[in-house]
C-alpha cells in the first residue's frame, strides 16, 4: 500500500525554538526555528500554512516543511493568523493578519535570533491557501519581499468559488461570490490583482485533487504576459501534500526552486 500523503500533516517534528507575537490575538504569532549550525546570517523564511483558510487547520501541519527549510541553513518563521470559523477571521482579518505578520517578523526574528537573520527582505513560502496569502502579501504588503515560493496555491478565487473548492471555502473567506462582493475579489484575488514584483516560483503537482493545476498554469501565463519574474514548475506524479513533505519524491524539486530564490543572498 502506498503511504498516505496526508501523513505529513500530523507527523511529529521537533518543537520550535521560540514563539513571537506580532499582535494581541492569540493567533497573531509565529514559531521560530534556528538553522542548525548556522555560520552566517541568512534571509528569514516565512512559512504561510494552508488549510483553505479554515480554523481547523493551523501552523502545526507545516512543521515538517519548516524543519526541512531550516535544515537548508535558514531561519524560519511559521506564521499563524486568524482563520474562517473564528472571531476576526475571514474578510479582512485573515489577509491583514498575514500582511502584518510579514511586515513585523523580520525585526522580531532578528531580535529573537541574534546573528542569524540577515537584514534583507524575507522569502515567503506558502502552501495551498497559504500560497494565495503569500502571493497576496507580496503584492500588497508595505514590507519588501525577497521572493515567493507558492506551492499548489489557490491563485484564482473566482474560479475556486465556481468550483466550490473545499465546500465553500472562498465564500467563507470573502463573504460571498464575485457577484456578491466584487470589491473584495478585486483586492484578494491574485488572478485580478497585479502579480508580485519580486521573483516568484509556483510549483504544482499534476495529480493535485485539491487545487487544480490549471489554475496555476493560467495564472503564471498571465503574470508572465505582464512582465512578471514568475515561473511554473509542474511535477508529474505529485499530489497536493508531497510539496510540503521533506520525505516525498518532490522535495528535491522544491528545494531547488527555493534555492533559486535565495541564490543572490
Amino acid at each position: 500500500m502506498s503511504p498516505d500523503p496526508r501523513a505529513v500533516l500530523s507527523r511529529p517534528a521537533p518543537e520550535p525554538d521560540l514563539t513571537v507575537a506580532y499582535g494581541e490575538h492569540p493567533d497573531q504569532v509565529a514559531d521560530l526555528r534556528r538553522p542548525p549550525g548556522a555560520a552566517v546570517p541568512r534571509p528569514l523564511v516565512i512559512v504561510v500554512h494552508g488549510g483553505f483558510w479554515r480554523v481547523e487547520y493551523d501552523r502545526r501541519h507545516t512543521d515538517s516543511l519548516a524543519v526541512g527549510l531550516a535544515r537548508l541553513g535558514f531561519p524560519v518563521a511559521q506564521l499563524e493568523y486568524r482563520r474562517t470559523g473564528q472571531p476576526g477571521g475571514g474578510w479582512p482579518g485573515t489577509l491583514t493578519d498575514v500582511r502584518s505578520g510579514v511586515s513585523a517578523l523580520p525585526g522580531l526574528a532578528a531580535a529573537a535570533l541574534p546573528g542569524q537573520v540577515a537584514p534583507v527582505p524575507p522569502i515567503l513560502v506558502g502552501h495551498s491557501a497559504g500560497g494565495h496569502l503569500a502571493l497576496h502579501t507580496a503584492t500588497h504588503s508595505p514590507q519588501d519581499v525577497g521572493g515567493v515560493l507558492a506551492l499548489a496555491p489557490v491563485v484564482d478565487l473566482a474560479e475556486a468559488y465556481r468550483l466550490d473548492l473545499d465546500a465553500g471555502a472562498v465564500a467563507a473567506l470573502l463573504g460571498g461570490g464575485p457577484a456578491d462582493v466584487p470589491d473584495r475579489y478585486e483586492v484578494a484575488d491574485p488572478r485580478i490583482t497585479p502579480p508580485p514584483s519580486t521573483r516568484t516560483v509556483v510549483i504544482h503537482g499534476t495529480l493535485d485533487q485539491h487545487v487544480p493545476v490549471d489554475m496555476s498554469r493560467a495564472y503564471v501565463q498571465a503574470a508572465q504576459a505582464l512582465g512578471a519574474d514568475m515561473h511554473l514548475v509542474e511535477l508529474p506524479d505529485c499530489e497536493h501534500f508531497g510539496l510540503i513533505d521533506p520525505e516525498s519524491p518532490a522535495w528535491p524539486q522544491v528545494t531547488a526552486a527555493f534555492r533559486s530564490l535565495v541564490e543572490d543572498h
Side-chain angles (χ1 to χ4, degrees):
M1 180 183 299
S2 300
D4 180 3
R6 296 179 63 94
V8 68
L9 303 181
S10 56
R11 182 182 300 148
E15 290 293 316
D17 291 297
L18 66 162
T19 301
V20 295
Y22 64 89
E24 296 182 356
H25 190 276
D27 282 327
Q28 292 172 330
V29 297
D31 292 333
L32 302 183
R33 296 181 183 272
R34 296 184 178 91
V40 297
R42 304 300 299 273
L44 178 68
V45 179
I46 300 178
V47 172
V48 188
H49 73 80
F52 280 108
W53 311 281
R54 298 188 188 277
V55 69
E56 291 84 0
Y57 300 92
D58 63 14
R59 65 193 185 279
R60 289 280 66 80
H61 80 256
T62 56
D63 282 349
S64 291
L65 171 64
V67 169
L69 293 171
R71 286 175 177 166
L72 297 178
F74 292 83
V76 176
Q78 289 171 262
L79 177 66
E80 193 57 272
Y81 51 89
R82 292 173 294 174
R83 304 170 302 286
T84 62
Q86 66 182 138
W91 177 269
T94 294
L95 283 77
T96 58
D97 276 6
V98 177
R99 296 201 303 266
S100 297
V102 168
S103 293
L105 276 172
L108 293 171
L113 305 175
Q116 297 188 342
V117 179
V120 297
I123 304 296
L124 305 188
V125 178
H127 176 243
S128 195
H132 157 260
L133 292 169
L135 291 164
H136 167 81
T137 299
T139 294
H140 293 280
S141 176
Q143 166 74 37
D144 288 336
V145 171
V148 180
L149 180 59
L151 307 172
V154 186
V155 289
D156 189 335
L157 297 188
E159 178 68 0
Y161 174 84
R162 187 186 71 80
L163 294 173
D164 196 31
L165 294 189
D166 203 57
V170 176
L173 174 70
L174 298 183
D180 306 312
V181 287
D183 55 324
R184 298 182 181 183
Y185 281 77
E186 289 174 2
V187 173
D189 194 341
R191 193 68 174 83
I192 299 172
T193 58
S197 59
T198 189
R199 186 187 309 176
T200 301
V201 178
V202 178
I203 305 183
H204 216 126
T206 60
L207 300 184
D208 197 319
Q209 298 296 308
H210 296 267
V211 181
V213 67
D214 284 345
M215 281 189 186
S216 286
R217 290 170 178 159
Y219 171 71
V220 172
Q221 183 178 26
Q224 289 174 339
L226 294 172
D229 184 2
M230 184 179 296
H231 306 279
L232 173 63
V233 178
E234 292 189 36
L235 298 184
D237 305 321
C238 182
E239 43 64 61
H240 191 65
F241 300 102
L243 299 175
I244 62 170
D245 186 354
E247 298 181 11
S248 79
W251 186 245
Q253 288 93 336
V254 172
T255 57
F258 173 77
R259 290 187 187 282
S260 77
L261 294 173
V262 299
E263 61 188 10
D264 294 334
H265 297 292

